[in-house]
Amino acid sequence: MALLDLSNRKDRSLYFRAVKYKLSLYLETGHQVYGAFENNQITGMFIFKNPHVQPPLKLQLQRLFPNLFVFARLMPRFLRAAHLATATQPPGNLPDKPYTLEGLAVHPAHQGKGIGRLLLEKADRVCFADSSASGIYLYTGDEKNKELYLRSNFRILERRPASTFTAYHMFKDSIRRDNPSHKE
């Protein structure tokens, strides 16, 4: 069961307006969005949620108000998927202060070229630079993506089956070179 039919122009337009709201809120409050480009075209990107940043409620409400119509129109689709909420909640054994990889995408025409790996390496460097971060957390319901993350040294913290997919909650420790237990 798909939440949204992105081949439907109306759903696609609503969904992209909701994504624009979320991205602008992330950027305005200090979360990071990184991209990979080729010939001035975006080939991939990821959203990195900083564990030290919490958008003020007042700002969230100010930004939400103009978008209420969008979210109201999307609500029936999200309510149909409410049963998936428990599968996507972070696990209880998640270490404190992880960066959260909210999304990583590579344009289909550029997949298989190592762009996803390069984006993950950038995420590692950002996390590594923050001495208080425990690592990187993400969840995926895609088997192909799960394999990419496993090859990039993420480990599965928890596997939660839902009716339409299995959520893999994954974590990668932040290993610093100044850590005596780190071996090259």
Side-chain angles (χ1 to χ4, degrees), residues 3-184:
L3 287 177
L4 299 168
D5 177 6
L6 294 181
S7 65
N8 174 310
R9 194 171 62 91
K10 187 188 295 184
D11 274 1
R12 189 172 52 246
S13 173
L14 290 170
Y15 178 73
F16 286 117
R17 285 179 61 188
V19 168
K20 182 180 174 185
Y21 159 78
K22 187 172 184 176
L23 279 173
S24 65
L25 186 61
Y26 273 10
L27 289 171
E28 192 170 350
T29 57
H31 295 295
Q32 296 115 352
V33 177
Y34 294 93
F37 297 86
E38 183 178 288
N39 299 324
N40 293 324
Q41 297 288 317
I42 191 160
T43 57
M45 66 171 287
F46 72 93
I47 303 166
F48 219 26
K49 192 172 176 187
N50 185 319
H52 312 295
V53 174
Q54 179 59 38
L57 181 59
K58 182 179 178 181
L59 178 63
Q60 291 181 59
L61 293 174
Q62 286 173 337
R63 298 298 175 264
L64 180 62
F65 186 73
N67 292 290
L68 280 177
F69 172 76
V70 172
F71 290 107
R73 295 286 308 269
L74 290 172
M75 188 60 67
R77 291 146 179 101
F78 289 126
L79 287 175
R80 283 196 315 260
H83 66 283
L84 303 177
T86 56
T88 60
Q89 291 301 310
N93 61 343
L94 183 63
D96 286 340
K97 296 185 182 171
Y99 276 79
T100 302
L101 190 65
E102 285 281 318
L104 184 142
V106 175
H107 189 283
H110 296 279
Q111 292 176 357
K113 297 179 180 179
I115 294 169
R117 180 184 46 77
L118 291 172
L119 290 169
L120 286 171
E121 288 172 5
K122 175 63 177 178
D124 285 344
R125 289 191 301 275
V126 171
C127 186
F128 177 85
D130 182 346
S131 63
S132 68
S134 60
I136 304 170
Y137 162 73
L138 63 88
Y139 80 85
T140 185
D142 183 282
E143 291 290 328
K144 184 176 164 187
N145 291 345
K146 177 190 80 165
E147 294 305 318
L148 167 71
Y149 298 129
L150 287 172
R151 285 191 307 274
S152 296
N153 297 316
F154 281 81
R155 69 180 193 278
I156 297 172
L157 292 177
E158 195 171 318
R159 179 184 174 275
R160 289 193 201 146
S163 60
T164 56
F165 75 104
T166 297
Y168 296 95
H169 295 268
M170 304 180 81
F171 186 77
K172 182 176 187 177
D173 291 301
S174 178
I175 300 173
R176 292 176 181 71
R177 305 223 186 286
D178 59 346
N179 180 345
S181 65
H182 175 67
K183 307 269 189 266
E184 287 290 329

